[in-house]
Amino acid sequence: MTEDQILLGIALTVALAAFSQIVANRLRVPALILLLPAGFVAGALTDVIHPDKLIGAEFDALVSLSVAVILYDAGLGLDLRQLTGRTRGIVGKLLVVGVLGTFLAVGFIAPALLGMSLATGAMLGTILVVSGPTVVGPLLEYVRPTDRVRRILIWEGTLIDPIGGILGALVFHAVSSHRIDIGRGYQIGQFLISMGVGLAGGAVGVALLWLTLRVMRLGETLGTLAQLAVVVTVSAGCDIIRDDTGLIAAIVTGLAVTNMPGFDMPARRPFFETLVQLIIGLLFISISSTVTPASLTPVLLPSLILIAFLVLVLRPLIAFASTRKSGLGRGERGFLAWMAPRGIVAASTASAFSATLSDKGLPGASKILPVTFLVIVGTVLLYALTAAPVARRLGVVRPSRTRPLLVGGDGWVVDMGKALRSAGLDVLMWAGDADERERIKDAGIELAQGELLATATNPRARLEGVTAVFLLTDDDDFNALASVMMEGNVEGPVYRVGPPHENHGVIAPYTGGDVLFGARLVRHVLAERYRQGARYLVQPASGPVPADFETLFVVRADGTLVPVTEAGAVAPSEDDLLVLLGPVPLTQPRPRTG
C-alpha cells in the first residue's frame, strides 16, 4: 500500500470506530450493533482498512495485546466482596457448565450443519464459548436488571473471556498438529501450564503496579501510563512464553489492583477509559472488515440455525442447570437464560485462528470467521431488541422508583431524609462523623456502610441500588469534589447543595454539576432556616402550596424523585407529591416585667 492509502486507512478506521460509538450512545444501543456492520460495509467497499494490508501479519499480535488491555480494564470493575456465597457458586457453575456445554454441543452439530470437519467444529465450539463485558455491560446498562442478576452476568462475561482464550489456543494447537490426547490428560496438563504462566504473569504485573502506584506514588497521568505499560509488557511476555496466557495475566492484574488494599489508584482515569473505548472500536471495525459478502452467503442459513440453537436451546439448558437449587427466583433464572451475547474475544480468536487453519487445509476452516461474525451480530442484535421486554415480563427490572442517597448528617439533612421517606421513597444516608451517624440511626433511616464513598470513587465501582445522590454536607469543597468523582458510578444523577455566594473554597465555586434548590436556598441558608424552626411538609401536588413555602422536590406518581435545581423549577402533575420547606415561624414577643 502507498503512504496515502495507509493514511486514509488509518483515518477511516478511527473515524468509523469513533462515529459508530457516538451514534450508538445517542441511540442507547450496544456499540457493537453499529461497529460490525460499519466495518463490514467499509471492508466491502474499499481495501484500505483491511488489517492484513494495512498492518500485515503483525495484526494478530496487536489484537492479543489490545484484548489484554480490555480485560485488565474489565478486571478493575470486579469487586471480590460481591462474589460471595450463592453468587460465587452460580458464577462458577455457569462457567464450568457453559464452557463444556457450548464446546461439546457446537462441536457436535457444527460439522453436520456447516459442512466442516470434526476438528474445525471443535475449534468453532471453543470460539463461541466466550461472551464478554464489552457486550454484556452495555446491554445491562440499557435493561437495568436487579443487582444480583447484573452481578452474576458481569462476572460470568468477564471471567469466561480468558478461559475461552486459553481453551481456544489449546484446541488450535491440537487440531493444527493433529495431536489430541485428552484421554491421557495431555490437554488438561497443557491447560494447567497455561494457567500457571498467566497467574505468574499476573503476579509480576501486580508487583510492578505496586511499585509504581504505591511506592512511587505516581499521579493520574503517569499512573495511567504505568498501568498501560505494565499490562502490555506482562501480557506480551506471557504470550511469548505461551500463547494467549497474556489474557489471564491481564485480568488477574486488574482484579488484584482493584481488590488489594493499599493501591493508590487514580479516582478518575479518563485517558485509560478513552483508550479502551478506542481499542474496542478499532478491533471490531478492523476484524469485521476482513469478512467478505462472498464468505457470508453460503453460511448464512446454517448460521441462523446455529444462532437459534444457541439462544433457544443451549443457553437456557446451561442457565437452568447452573442455577438449580441456587435460591434464584424463576424470573432471575429465566433472564440468565436469555443473556449470552458473543463479543470481542470471539471475534479476535476467530480472526487469529481461521486463516492459519485454512492454510493448513483443515476442511471448513474458512467458514469459522464468517460464522462467528454472524453469531456475534445475530446474538447481540437479538438480545438488544428483546432483553428489555423479556426482563420486564420476568419481573427482574429494577423499579423506576428513585432510591436516593443523602450524604450528610446535620439535623436539616436528616429531617429531609425523613420527609422523603414519608413520600414513599427508600432513603439511604451516609455520614462520616460518629454523632451524625447516630443521628441518622435514631431517625430510623438506613445507614450506608462505612466504606461507601470509597467505593463510589473507585474508577470502576458502582453504588448498587442507588439511583440518585444528594451531597448535603457542610463542606462545600467536599460536595463539589465528590460530585465530580461520583459521576458515572451511580445509575442516575449526582446533585450537590449550593455553596454560599461569598464562598472562597478551593473547588466549590468552580465546578459544574447540578446544584440544588436554586440560587437562594444555598447550604447555609437552609441550615439557618432549619435552626430557626423551618420544617418540611409533604403534600399532594393537586393542592395549593401554602404561603411562603418553597418547593424542594417533586415525587412523581411512579416514585421518580425530581429536585428543583438552579436550572429552574419542576412542573408537577396532579398525582405527584411535593416536598416543601416552610418559612421560619414568627416568634411571640416576650411580655415585659416590672
Side-chain angles (χ1 to χ4, degrees), residues 178-199:
H178 307 288
R179 182 178 183 181
I180 305 178
D181 298 321
I182 297 178
R184 291 186 290 168
Y186 174 80
Q187 298 298 332
I188 296 176
Q190 294 298 305
F191 175 78
L192 294 177
I193 293 173
S194 296
M195 289 293 295
V197 172
L199 292 174

Side-chain angles (χ1 to χ4, degrees), residues 44-274:
L45 297 178
T46 177
D47 291 335
V48 296
I49 70 169
H50 288 186
D52 55 341
K53 297 180 179 179
L54 190 63
I55 300 174
E58 293 78 15
F59 178 64
D60 290 343
L62 291 177
V63 168
S64 179
L65 294 179
S66 299
V67 173
V69 173
I70 294 171
L71 290 183
Y72 168 77
D73 184 66
L76 291 176
L78 299 179
D79 188 348
L80 290 174
R81 291 172 298 181
Q82 298 175 356
L83 190 65
T84 58
R86 289 181 173 177
T87 300
R88 179 173 56 208
I90 293 169
V91 172
K93 290 178 182 178
L94 282 171
L95 292 175
V96 174
V97 178
V99 168
L100 293 178
T102 304
F103 172 69
L104 295 175
V106 175
F108 177 76
I109 69 169
L113 188 62
L114 294 160
M116 55 179 56
S117 67
L118 184 62
T120 307
M123 188 74 254
L124 180 63
T126 307
I127 291 171
L128 296 182
V129 158
V130 298
S131 177
T134 59
V135 186
V136 175
L139 282 174
L140 297 181
E141 291 293 332
Y142 173 69
V143 176
R144 297 179 65 251
T146 57
D147 290 333
R148 181 162 60 173
V149 170
R150 177 188 175 278
R151 194 180 305 134
I152 290 171
L153 287 171
I154 287 292
W155 273 97
E156 179 199 10
T158 304
L159 294 180
I160 204 169
D161 273 0
I163 295 174
I166 290 297
L167 290 178
L170 293 177
V171 173
F172 169 75
H173 289 300
V175 299
S176 61
S177 62
H178 307 288
R179 182 178 183 181
I180 305 178
D181 298 321
I182 297 178
R184 291 186 290 168
Y186 174 80
Q187 298 298 332
I188 296 176
Q190 294 298 305
F191 175 78
L192 294 177
I193 293 173
S194 296
M195 289 293 295
V197 172
L199 292 174
V204 173
V206 172
L208 291 174
L209 288 180
W210 180 271
L211 174 65
T212 54
L213 300 181
R214 177 64 176 171
V215 178
M216 299 177 65
R217 312 290 293 185
L218 298 180
E220 179 180 317
T221 302
L222 291 179
T224 299
L225 183 62
Q227 291 177 74
L228 180 62
V230 168
V231 172
V232 170
T233 302
V234 169
S235 299
C238 289
D239 283 342
I240 292 171
I241 297 172
R242 195 167 183 84
D243 288 344
D244 285 324
T245 54
L247 301 182
I248 294 179
I251 198 169
V252 167
T253 304
L255 274 169
V257 167
T258 200
N259 286 281
M260 288 179 60
F263 269 101
D264 189 16
M265 287 290 293
R268 307 298 298 174
R269 302 173 299 117
F271 173 73
F272 200 89
E273 293 164 0
T274 303

Side-chain angles (χ1 to χ4, degrees), residues 335-422:
F335 188 72
L336 291 178
W338 193 254
M339 186 57 63
R342 271 59 179 181
I344 186 62
V345 175
S348 63
T349 52
S351 175
F353 298 147
S354 61
T356 304
L357 293 179
S358 296
D359 292 340
K360 289 180 175 291
L362 205 65
S366 61
K367 299 178 181 179
I368 290 178
L369 183 57
V371 170
T372 304
F373 176 85
L374 289 172
V375 170
I376 293 173
V377 174
T379 55
V380 172
L381 185 61
L382 178 63
Y383 289 129
L385 294 175
T386 63
V390 167
R392 287 193 295 269
R393 183 68 179 268
L394 295 174
V396 296
V397 178
R398 279 198 296 271
S400 59
R401 181 173 298 273
T402 301
R403 192 190 189 203
L405 167 67
L406 275 59
V407 180
D410 287 342
W412 69 273
V413 180
V414 176
D415 266 15
M416 181 183 290
K418 293 169 66 176
L420 292 174
R421 189 179 59 178
S422 69

Side-chain angles (χ1 to χ4, degrees), residues 477 480 496 499 503-512:
D477 281 343
R496 63 186 176 101
N503 184 280
H504 297 290
V506 176
I507 301 170
Y510 307 110
T511 55

